[in-house]
Amino acid sequence: MSDRYSFLNAIHFKDIEYLYKKYKNNPNSVEQSWCAFFHGFDLQKENYSAQNNSIDIEFKVSNLIHSYRTRGHFFTNTNPIKKRRKHFPSLDLKNFGLSDKVLNVQFEAGRLIGIGKNSLKNIVNHLENIYCNSIGIEYMYISNPKKIEWIEKWFQKKISFSTEKRKFFLKKLNEAIVFENFVHTKFVGQKRFSIEGNESILPALEEMIEYTSNKYLTEDFIIGMSHRGRLNLLSNFLKKDYSHIFSEFQGKEYKEKTFSGDVKYHLGFTKVRKNSQGKIIKMSLVPNPSHLESVDPIVEGITRAKIDINYNQDSNSEKIIPILIHGDAALSGQGIVYEVLQLSRLKGYKTGGTIHLVMNNQIGFTTNNTEGRSSIYCTDISKIVLSPVLHVNADDIESVIRAIYFAVDFRMHYHEDVFVDLIGYRKYGHNEGDEPRFTQPSLYKTISKHPSTYDLYKKKLEKKWGKNLDIKKMENEYEKILQKGYNESKTIKWNILNSFLEEEWNNFPITYNTKKIFKKVKTQFPIERIIEISKKIFTLPIEKHFFKKTKFLFQKRLEMVIKNHLADWSVAELLAYGTLLDEGFHIRLSGEDVARGTFSHRHAIIKTEEEEEILLLNQIRIGQGKIQVYNSPLSEYGVLGFDYGYALFSPYILTLWEAQFGDFGNGGQIIIDQYISSGENKWKIRNGIVMLLPHGYEGQGPEHSSARIERYLQLCANNNLFVVNCTTPSNFYHLLRRQMKLNFRKPLIVFTPKSLLRHPKCISTIEELSEGKFQEILDDPFVQKIEEIKKLIFCSGKIYYELLNKKESIKDKETAIIRIEQIYPLKEKKIQELLNKYNNKKSVLWVQEEPENMGLWSFILRKLGNSIPFHLISPSESSSPSTGSYSCFLKIQNQILEKAFFKE
């Protein structure tokens, strides 16, 4: 398109008509470029004088062009196996008031599409070639006219491929097909989730890596995908050894018995390789479970961590690209996709744009797309962030590559998400043992007769070049490579669990040994430095204007530390962050309302009256670590997955995710079940994410009482998690510091308080912060004479303070209250020591405020029930965590306390 008329790209024909009328009334009333356009337009009137209204016909051509741009994707040749549904109105000339009589008439409107003044015939041919061929473009909903202009200019470029390139595409298509046939023959009936029907994804990825690393010097690619085609990409794209893949098909065990492993098409893989020009690139395929799109936020989190650490927090970095490979049914059916797209442009979560590739099989397991979604396209979710979408016939490999070039260029130019919808099919059933003709007999009759993309492209190239013996040679050579890998697999005794991101975790060994788990680490910190840090983070800048309550709060915090040498929960938390930052550690805190804190306790970020944001934790000293605090969107699944991914790459960063209320963790249950609790055991990956889950019965109803402790304890095994319910600020302070001081990493689940944030007895001394340590079990500090103790009460969390108040009110000297602070791994040896210490005890109680079927009771009974004759004091079993009536809540709590101190 001539730059002279680039202003016409994104304007509607009705707007042109309005401007034309203004021009006719007064040529000087419109902008100069419009004036020139209309002048040329008027000069052409005599060329089609047969028309009754020459102005109208030019506008009709403009309308035609606009319709091709907005609706051309409905009339493409993008479906290799089905006839397209009919869309009305069509792009027939008659629908625009035009006819064949004017096909040879020259129109100024040709300038709108970059071919200058031209005949209607050439205009239509040009539009058909761009908008109605093997690529359908959706982009006219984009609100930025410059983006629309950029997209249209891009598609006016001529792209041709060299002979060598075409041979390479053919080679990769051959590998994709032959690998599947080889496995199908050697391992009859085994699941492999074949790539066939969308094999063009293999050369597409290869060319994406090549194009991006050469043109933009990209060096890092983070890939997420589900099981369809995964084994093929592992072998033929990521270059995992064929013998290892075939060995996995043979069902051999892993040598490392500490890992359960996973099915072969869920495993992750990291590969460093060179592109064709010798440039080093790193590719990581993130391990995933069968929750297909759950890997999406993990990929984004890893990418953001790499941007922050390796690429100097440049969220528009061209050095790294996240690539998400979706299935069509999962893309349109799973809400996590929406959550991830909403993160894509937010300050704390953006990654400079994701390239989304859809392996569109046009079916979900046995479900047709008409049953699986309400939208026209599976990619319609993309429109919430106004991403362009290319729908491509997956059988047309050169169109696929062209779409890949566009996706890369758009991502790099605008640093936003872009979608390429590869419309293909699925050759077999959901897996190779499934019979698709049960549910789609007609479709699979067509598919059974349809040639592969390889055969189609081979035929096309042979027609162009004639019979080429090199093709047969290429086919034979790859067959030999597969056979060699198969023969070698027979000599492999054990399967190898390839570690993911191994280089980043070299200094953090996987630890299961209980002694190492309980080994004390030094979390002490000089008291003088604590005081200095307190002054830095609790002193507001005097030149700024703050809300009166803010000034009072920070003044109170400063006095608490400096004058009284005390710390409540929020002070201890902020000092834990401050001391770690002072030691050079970095911190990321993310979640709903974390900057202030749900319960208005944290105030990590403070705002002036002019709403300037100030983060005093980043102003401790020159050269300190940096803390990033981000309020997240109202999402648990997506944001928890993102922060888990962030922690997956950053063992030296304290990464915390806080739920607004503990029960909101339910929304991220898939991430908790499939990644946080089991990732180490399945995939040999380590992670140090911290989950902060407010928990405690305050009479606020069933929704915000319980963080569901019992569910996390069901996931505990082989020392995979730390599960903690602290009752003192100092223990929480040392716990957070311990998380970074350990020489290994485990996810840490912390049940944090609500009412205890301001409880007068929930206070620690600064000396305890400076000189203390984390204590897994807290003995009763108020027992004066051990021999007087007749009753032991074991508990965990907030109920301790209620038990303590009751004990003090009745002046009970015969009861000791012992707190389980670290629930898992449980320090059973310490519990036994305490039982032996109180050798005059007559009864041992377990007291909890959660119903009998919830909380810690089942776990405690399983762990200690055979050795300790516990008597349970709790509310009766219930299907709901708590009552919705405050008076009923008080009654239940009082009954617990009365029973706990009942004297028989």
Side-chain angles (χ1 to χ4, degrees):
M1 180 187 300
S2 169
D3 288 340
R4 183 182 174 192
Y5 293 103
S6 62
F7 61 91
L8 294 171
N9 272 338
I11 194 164
H12 195 276
F13 75 97
K14 288 183 178 179
D15 298 321
I16 300 175
E17 185 176 10
Y18 167 75
L19 289 172
Y20 182 71
K21 287 177 180 178
K22 283 187 69 177
Y23 165 79
K24 294 301 289 181
N25 289 331
N26 179 10
N28 294 324
S29 66
V30 298
E31 196 266 334
Q32 187 177 359
S33 55
W34 281 110
C35 189
F37 173 74
F38 291 134
H39 178 68
F41 169 70
D42 282 345
L43 290 176
Q44 303 307 314
K45 288 181 180 178
E46 63 272 15
N47 292 337
Y48 41 84
S49 56
Q51 296 293 324
N52 293 329
N53 192 333
S54 58
I55 299 172
D56 281 351
I57 194 168
E58 190 78 45
F59 288 149
K60 287 172 182 176
V61 177
S62 298
N63 189 13
L64 174 69
I65 292 170
H66 182 77
S67 291
Y68 266 93
R69 289 169 170 169
T70 54
R71 304 184 70 250
H73 57 90
F74 289 136
F75 307 100
T76 54
N77 178 32
T78 52
N79 198 320
I81 55 167
K82 293 181 186 177
K83 286 185 178 180
R84 288 205 62 139
R85 69 172 85 170
K86 292 189 181 296
H87 290 274
F88 298 97
S90 71
L91 297 175
D92 290 342
L93 293 178
K94 64 182 180 181
N95 291 324
F96 299 89
L98 300 167
S99 70
D100 292 348
K101 293 179 181 179
V102 293
L103 281 174
N104 293 319
V105 175
Q106 301 281 308
F107 289 97
E108 287 288 330
R111 301 182 190 279
L112 294 173
I113 54 176
I115 61 174
K117 177 184 169 185
N118 222 310
S119 68
L120 179 59
K121 182 178 180 180
N122 288 342
I123 289 172
V124 170
N125 287 339
H126 185 80
L127 292 170
E128 285 283 326
N129 188 52
I130 291 179
Y131 295 105
C132 299
N133 212 318
S134 292
I135 299 177
I137 317 168
E138 286 191 278
Y139 69 102
M140 286 299 284
Y141 45 77
I142 294 173
S143 57
N144 185 340
K146 289 188 176 180
K147 280 186 192 173
I148 290 177
E149 180 184 344
W150 185 93
I151 291 169
E152 290 172 352
K153 278 188 175 181
W154 195 98
F155 276 98
Q156 287 162 20
K157 294 190 300 186
K158 302 290 185 202
I159 296 177
S160 59
F161 300 103
S162 67
T163 300
E164 288 307 309
K165 275 287 182 194
R166 287 181 165 128
K167 285 183 177 180
F168 177 73
F169 300 156
L170 187 67
K171 177 177 179 289
K172 298 312 292 185
L173 289 172
N174 176 66
E175 289 175 6
I177 293 298
V178 174
F179 175 85
E180 298 293 352
N181 290 335
F182 188 87
V183 173
H184 192 70
T185 303
K186 297 294 185 182
F187 306 102
V188 179
Q190 286 205 43
K191 294 180 184 179
R192 69 178 190 278
F193 299 102
S194 165
I195 203 172
E196 292 163 284
N198 234 311
E199 56 267 31
S200 57
I201 190 82
L202 178 58
L205 283 171
E206 286 280 4
E207 192 61 14
M208 182 192 294
I209 302 300
E210 189 71 18
Y211 182 68
T212 317
S213 59
N214 286 329
K215 183 175 180 179
Y216 297 100
L217 305 182
T218 308
E219 58 192 37
D220 217 334
F221 301 87
I222 314 297
I223 305 166
M225 70 179 298
S226 57
H227 48 272
R228 174 77 49 206
R230 189 182 185 93
L231 292 175
N232 209 309
L233 296 189
L234 277 167
S235 59
N236 291 318
F237 175 59
L238 290 152
K239 308 301 181 184
K240 182 174 178 177
D241 198 304
Y242 292 108
S243 65
H244 293 168
I245 292 177
F246 296 150
S247 177
E248 289 164 358
F249 270 105
Q250 292 159 11
K252 296 170 184 175
E253 295 182 21
Y254 291 106
K255 186 175 184 179
E256 300 156 292
K257 299 299 181 183
T258 49
F259 304 109
S260 65
D262 199 352
V263 289
K264 49 195 167 291
Y265 37 80
H266 286 172
L267 301 177
F269 197 73
T270 298
K271 180 72 174 182
V272 176
R273 56 178 267 202
K274 293 181 179 179
N275 71 3
S276 64
Q277 295 185 12
K279 294 173 183 173
I280 300 294
I281 55 175
K282 186 172 187 177
M283 302 181 295
S284 294
L285 178 64
V286 182
N288 73 293
S290 284
H291 294 75
L292 306 178
E293 299 290 332
S294 66
V295 75
D296 298 358
I298 315 294
V299 167
E300 303 298 338
I302 294 171
T303 305
R304 178 55 184 260
K306 286 199 168 196
I307 287 171
D308 286 352
I309 297 167
N310 293 349
Y311 305 115
N312 301 316
Q313 300 183 340
D314 175 11
S315 57
N316 289 333
S317 176
E318 294 182 354
K319 295 289 187 181
I320 183 169
I321 294 183
I323 303 167
L324 293 179
I325 303 173
H326 309 273
D328 53 311
L331 179 66
S332 57
Q334 296 191 7
I336 186 62
V337 179
Y338 178 88
E339 295 188 35
V340 170
L341 286 176
Q342 286 291 6
L343 295 176
S344 66
R345 299 187 191 179
L346 301 181
K347 180 175 65 173
Y349 307 90
K350 63 183 179 180
T351 55
T354 298
I355 295 178
H356 300 262
L357 304 179
V358 185
M359 289 180 62
N360 192 334
N361 298 150
Q362 307 187 66
I363 191 171
F365 205 151
T366 68
T367 305
N368 291 319
N369 55 31
T370 53
E371 301 167 303
R373 65 175 183 265
S374 297
S375 59
I376 294 175
Y377 295 115
C378 65
T379 54
D380 283 340
I381 188 73
S382 66
K383 292 168 187 172
I384 65 169
V385 288
L386 304 181
S387 294
V389 180
L390 303 189
H391 305 283
V392 192
N393 188 324
D395 270 354
D396 186 343
I397 184 60
E398 292 185 11
S399 290
V400 169
I401 301 302
R402 191 170 181 229
I404 292 298
Y405 290 166
F406 168 82
V408 170
D409 287 344
F410 181 87
R411 189 270 181 185
M412 293 305 196
H413 192 78
Y414 287 106
H415 303 289
E416 294 176 358
D417 290 30
V418 57
F419 284 73
V420 177
D421 178 19
L422 301 174
I423 302 174
Y425 55 94
R426 188 186 69 194
K427 184 174 181 180
Y428 300 103
H430 175 66
N431 60 66
E432 285 64 37
D434 192 44
E435 177 51 79
R437 285 170 291 189
F438 283 145
T439 48
Q440 281 83 19
S442 298
L443 174 64
Y444 274 87
K445 186 176 182 181
T446 301
I447 289 173
S448 67
K449 299 174 183 177
H450 189 77
S452 70
T453 306
Y454 173 71
D455 288 334
L456 290 169
Y457 196 52
K458 177 181 175 181
K459 186 176 181 181
K460 178 181 176 179
L461 296 185
E462 285 181 338
K463 188 176 181 181
K464 187 178 183 70
W465 299 333
K467 293 289 182 181
N468 191 328
L469 295 177
D470 284 349
I471 292 178
K472 192 64 180 176
K473 181 181 177 183
M474 172 196 72
E475 292 173 342
N476 291 336
E477 284 178 352
Y478 185 64
E479 284 273 8
K480 290 177 182 177
I481 291 170
L482 291 177
Q483 188 61 49
K484 181 174 180 289
Y486 179 72
N487 294 338
E488 289 174 356
S489 72
K490 294 178 181 179
T491 66
I492 296 174
K493 185 176 181 181
W494 306 99
N495 278 336
I496 298 170
L497 189 58
N498 296 100
S499 191
F500 174 71
L501 297 177
E502 184 64 37
E503 182 182 335
E504 288 76 12
W505 289 90
N506 276 340
N507 296 328
F508 297 90
I510 292 178
T511 300
Y512 291 106
N513 185 280
T514 301
K515 287 185 178 179
K516 291 181 180 179
I517 293 288
F518 285 121
K519 186 178 179 181
K520 292 299 177 185
V521 294
K522 184 179 180 181
T523 55
Q524 290 83 8
F525 196 81
I527 193 166
E528 301 81 10
R529 192 66 191 139
I530 289 178
I531 299 297
E532 288 302 311
I533 290 171
S534 298
K535 291 177 182 178
K536 293 282 188 179
I537 67 176
F538 299 138
T539 301
L540 297 176
I542 57 175
E543 70 277 9
K544 305 288 185 182
H545 301 287
F546 293 95
F547 179 49
K548 184 169 65 174
K549 285 187 176 179
T550 304
K551 290 192 286 188
F552 175 76
L553 172 68
F554 275 74
Q555 182 181 352
K556 186 179 176 183
R557 284 178 170 177
L558 200 56
E559 288 177 358
M560 181 183 289
V561 176
I562 306 302
K563 185 177 178 180
N564 301 318
H565 268 221
L566 297 176
D568 63 10
W569 194 276
S570 59
V571 167
E573 178 185 354
L574 294 171
L575 283 173
Y577 301 151
T579 54
L580 286 170
L581 292 168
D582 191 58
E583 292 177 301
F585 291 102
H586 300 298
I587 300 171
R588 176 187 169 92
L589 173 61
S590 162
E592 295 157 14
D593 311 293
V594 295
R596 191 202 74 175
T598 299
F599 310 102
S600 196
H601 77 287
R602 181 175 292 119
H603 296 280
I605 293 178
I606 47 177
K607 288 191 177 183
T608 66
E609 289 187 344
E610 295 75 31
E611 297 203 8
E612 176 190 353
E613 291 188 348
I614 297 175
L615 219 175
L616 293 173
L617 283 162
N618 280 334
Q619 299 177 22
I620 297 171
R621 67 171 178 83
I622 296 173
Q624 67 168 83
K626 181 178 180 181
I627 184 171
Q628 300 179 80
V629 181
Y630 297 114
N631 286 338
S632 75
L634 199 66
S635 155
E636 292 82 38
Y637 188 0
V639 177
L640 178 57
F642 186 100
D643 287 321
Y644 174 84
Y646 195 97
L648 201 55
F649 181 74
S650 54
Y652 293 100
I653 297 178
L654 178 62
T655 304
L656 307 102
W657 175 81
E658 182 174 60
Q660 191 178 80
F661 287 88
D663 58 304
F664 282 18
N666 288 351
Q669 199 67 51
I670 289 173
I671 301 299
I672 296 163
D673 289 351
Q674 310 299 331
Y675 294 92
I676 293 175
S677 67
S678 58
E680 186 177 87
N681 195 244
K682 293 190 297 187
W683 305 317
K684 200 180 177 183
I685 59 177
R686 285 138 282 182
N687 199 292
I689 190 169
V690 179
M691 293 177 61
L692 304 178
L693 306 174
H695 175 88
Y697 283 56
E698 325 285 356
Q700 298 299 307
E703 298 309 313
H704 298 319
S705 294
S706 176
R708 299 291 192 174
I709 295 177
E710 64 279 356
R711 293 184 181 173
Y712 294 89
L713 294 176
Q714 286 178 341
L715 301 173
C716 292
N718 303 317
N719 297 327
N720 62 327
L721 303 172
F722 286 116
V723 179
V724 180
N725 193 3
C726 291
T727 57
T728 71
S730 64
N731 229 17
F732 185 51
Y733 167 90
H734 288 290
L735 175 68
L736 292 176
R737 287 181 52 75
R738 183 186 76 165
Q739 187 70 359
M740 299 309 293
K741 297 290 185 173
L742 291 166
N743 66 353
F744 58 89
R745 294 286 180 262
K746 301 280 182 181
L748 168 60
I749 317 298
V750 189
F751 297 96
T752 57
K754 294 175 287 185
S755 63
L756 296 191
L757 296 173
R758 295 171 179 84
H759 196 288
K761 291 183 178 177
C762 189
I763 298 288
S764 298
T765 66
I766 297 300
E767 286 75 16
E768 287 173 322
L769 269 59
S770 173
E771 301 165 9
K773 61 183 178 181
F774 177 72
Q775 299 180 71
E776 294 89 350
I777 312 288
L778 289 177
D779 193 5
D780 193 325
F782 303 108
V783 171
Q784 296 178 347
K785 297 181 179 180
I786 294 174
E787 61 274 11
E788 288 183 354
I789 299 302
K790 301 294 192 296
K791 180 188 293 184
L792 294 183
I793 293 179
F794 283 84
C795 67
S796 185
K798 169 194 145 268
I799 192 70
Y800 164 75
Y801 288 97
E802 295 171 7
L803 290 166
L804 178 61
N805 287 342
K806 181 69 174 178
K807 177 183 173 180
E808 291 175 346
S809 69
I810 62 174
K811 296 181 173 56
D812 184 322
K813 294 183 179 180
E814 296 182 348
T815 302
I817 307 174
I818 299 169
R819 285 166 278 176
I820 308 293
E821 299 280 290
Q822 180 171 292
I823 307 162
Y824 189 86
L826 184 61
K827 203 166 189 180
E828 297 177 40
K829 184 178 179 181
K830 175 68 174 177
I831 293 173
Q832 194 60 52
E833 288 174 1
L834 291 171
L835 288 168
N836 295 336
K837 172 183 173 181
Y838 296 107
N839 55 10
N840 288 335
K841 62 185 180 299
K842 301 294 184 183
S843 62
V844 181
L845 308 184
W846 176 262
V847 179
Q848 64 179 40
E849 55 186 352
E850 301 86 359
E852 179 182 347
N853 56 316
M854 300 178 192
L856 276 68
W857 173 238
S858 297
F859 174 79
I860 292 296
L861 194 62
R862 180 167 66 87
K863 286 288 184 180
L864 302 173
N866 292 331
S867 57
I868 305 173
F870 280 116
H871 177 65
L872 172 67
I873 305 294
S874 77
S876 58
E877 65 177 21
S878 172
S879 58
S880 175
S882 73
T883 177
S885 163
Y886 187 72
S887 60
C888 185
F889 158 75
L890 292 176
K891 182 180 177 182
I892 292 171
Q893 293 292 93
N894 189 56
Q895 287 174 348
I896 293 172
L897 300 176
E898 290 294 330
K899 289 179 181 178
F901 289 96
F902 177 74
K903 293 187 181 294
E904 298 180 5

